[in-house]
Each structure stands twice: as C-alpha cells, then as structure tokens.
Amino acid sequence: MRTVAQLFALLTGALEPLFATSAAAVAIIVATMCVRTLLHPLARAGVRGEKARTRLAPEVAGLRKRYARDPERLRRALLELHAREGVSPLAGIAPTLLQLPVFFVMYRLFTAPRVGGEPNGLLADRLGPAPLGGRWADALADGGVLGAPGLVYLALFGVLAAVALWSYRRARAAVAPAPEQAVPGMAGLVKVLPLLSFGTLVTAAFVPLAAGLYLATTTVWTAVERALLHRGPAVARSGAAGRNRRRSGRKEG
C-alpha cells in the first residue's frame, strides 16, 4: 500500500502545475484510464464472445428443440458447443472482476489515516471544495445538497446516473435473447445483470469521493468502449438492411 501511495503521490505532483489543488482528482482519472487501457484486450475478447453467441443462436435453438425432454443432455450439448467454438457464457465479466482490487486500493488510500506508519497526506487532497476522502454525508453536513461540496456530488451522481441508464437500456437489449443462448441455470443472472448498472450510483453515495470518481471514470470508459466495439456490426447490419430494402424496392418496381 505504501508503494502505491508513493506512486500516486508522484503522479499527483506531476499534474499539480496544471491542475493545482485538483491534481489528485485528475490523477485518479489518469490512473483509472491506464488500468482500463491494460484491460482493453479482455474487453475486446468479451465482445467477440458476445458476437459469437449471437452467431450460434440458431444452432443453440436447434439443440434446445432436439433435447427439449432431456435437460442434462441439453446442458452437455451447450457446453460442448461453447467449448468447441471457444465461447464463454460469462465472457465480458473478467474486466469487471479484475477492477475490484483497484477499487479497493483506491478506497483504502483515501480512508486510512496512516499509510506505512506515516500520516496519509492524500486525505487533504480535494476536488474543488470537496475533499477526496470525504463522503456524501459529509457534504450534506457541510452546506446541504446545494452547498459547494454537495454540488460536486450532484455532478458525480448525474454522470453515473446518465451512464447507468444508457448501460441499462443496452444490457436489456443484449440479454433479451439470452435465455435461448445461455447455459441452463443462468436465467436468474440474465435478469439481474441489467440492474447492476445502477449499482455504481448507489455505491458512490457511501464511499469516499475518490472511489466515486474512480467509479465514474471507469463506467464512462466502459460505455464508450462498448459503443465503439459494437459500432462495426451495427453499421454492417444497417448497411445490410438498406441493401435489402433497395432489393425489395427493385422487385416491387
């Protein structure tokens, strides 16, 4: 932990000439973006898995029809199909799981009164009028919802809410066909996954501002990353739909 704190202090010091008292907040954003850059290959693999499951949907539907009266044989057939095609039903979860240690380190850095036996100087860093080690409850006690620190949290919650709503809509659309594609027993998980988008908003209300800033940065990154990774297929489908409409028009003509 002491080494992480020292590295974070170095990054903050490098950014201080540009961002003054908000340098630590910017350092959190930069560090988060570095972590997400390292995890990007896993995100790409997760999207490839999602596309592969969509491609296999007709074959999965055929297996379900063939083994409708034999759930155990259906389960084995689906597992064999996914293994043969190199598709994991849980593809895309790895980046989220690997971020958990980073989140807990960020939480610890801005809550521990001492790091390595020395006073934790990070607790004095701020994002504007709000201390990075403070919580929303502290902001409410220091001026209320519309006080200077409270407005910082409102901006943070606004970003998280917007991304959560966008992610919820995409997740609902993505998991709509999942019951026909997933391994039996995952139906409950499929129903819960879209709601997890709002978990970051609830979490940010109770953790230090530094951890909330990390959550906002990583969720925005995830939203943009997934939009870009899925853009190609969407464009291709749009083009194909346009070609089909033109062909239909020619036939009718």
Side-chain angles (χ1 to χ4, degrees):
M1 180 66 69
R2 182 176 182 179
T3 301
V4 175
Q6 290 173 341
L7 291 174
F8 190 85
L10 288 175
L11 178 58
T12 300
L15 295 170
E16 193 168 353
L18 293 175
F19 300 99
T21 57
S22 297
V26 178
I28 293 173
I29 296 174
V30 172
T32 305
M33 294 175 67
C34 290
V35 171
R36 292 309 306 269
T37 300
L38 293 175
L39 295 177
H40 180 67
L42 293 177
R44 293 181 66 89
V47 171
R48 285 196 299 269
E50 293 172 9
K51 294 177 180 178
R53 289 197 301 276
T54 301
R55 174 174 53 83
L56 294 175
E59 191 169 350
V60 170
L63 290 174
R64 288 186 174 280
K65 184 176 181 180
R66 185 185 310 171
Y67 302 114
R69 298 184 179 181
D70 190 349
E72 180 59 24
R73 183 67 185 88
L74 172 62
R75 186 185 68 82
R76 292 200 303 269
L78 290 175
L79 290 175
E80 291 170 1
L81 174 63
H82 289 148
R84 184 172 69 249
E85 298 293 334
V87 177
S88 170
L90 299 178
I93 295 181
T96 301
L97 295 178
L98 291 176
Q99 287 184 75
L100 289 177
V102 181
F103 172 79
F104 287 123
V105 167
M106 194 69 64
Y107 180 90
R108 181 64 176 168
L109 277 178
F110 286 90
T111 55
R114 304 182 70 85
V115 176
E118 300 178 359
N120 187 358
L122 296 176
L123 297 180
D125 292 319
R126 312 176 71 85
L127 174 58
L132 292 175
R135 291 173 168 80
W136 188 35
D138 301 324
L140 294 178
D142 183 19
V145 175
L146 298 180
L151 291 177
V152 173
Y153 282 89
L154 287 182
L156 176 68
F157 295 157
V159 171
L160 288 170
V163 177
L165 181 60
W166 183 88
S167 300
Y168 173 77
R169 291 177 175 175
R170 285 186 64 93
R172 282 291 298 272
V175 303
E180 297 183 358
Q181 301 179 30
V183 174
M186 290 186 62
L189 179 61
V190 165
K191 293 179 181 179
V192 171
L193 282 177
L195 297 176
L196 296 181
S197 303
F198 295 96
T200 53
L201 180 59
V202 176
T203 302
F206 296 96
V207 299
L209 177 59
L213 188 57
Y214 169 83
L215 288 174
T217 305
T218 194
T219 53
V220 170
W221 179 287
T222 297
V224 174
E225 183 178 61
R226 291 186 64 81
L228 292 176
L229 290 176
H230 282 281
R231 181 178 56 180
V235 172
R237 287 194 297 270
S238 176
R243 289 193 296 271
N244 290 336
R245 286 194 296 270
R246 288 194 294 271
R247 289 172 184 169
S248 298
R250 287 196 295 268
K251 289 181 181 179
E252 292 175 359

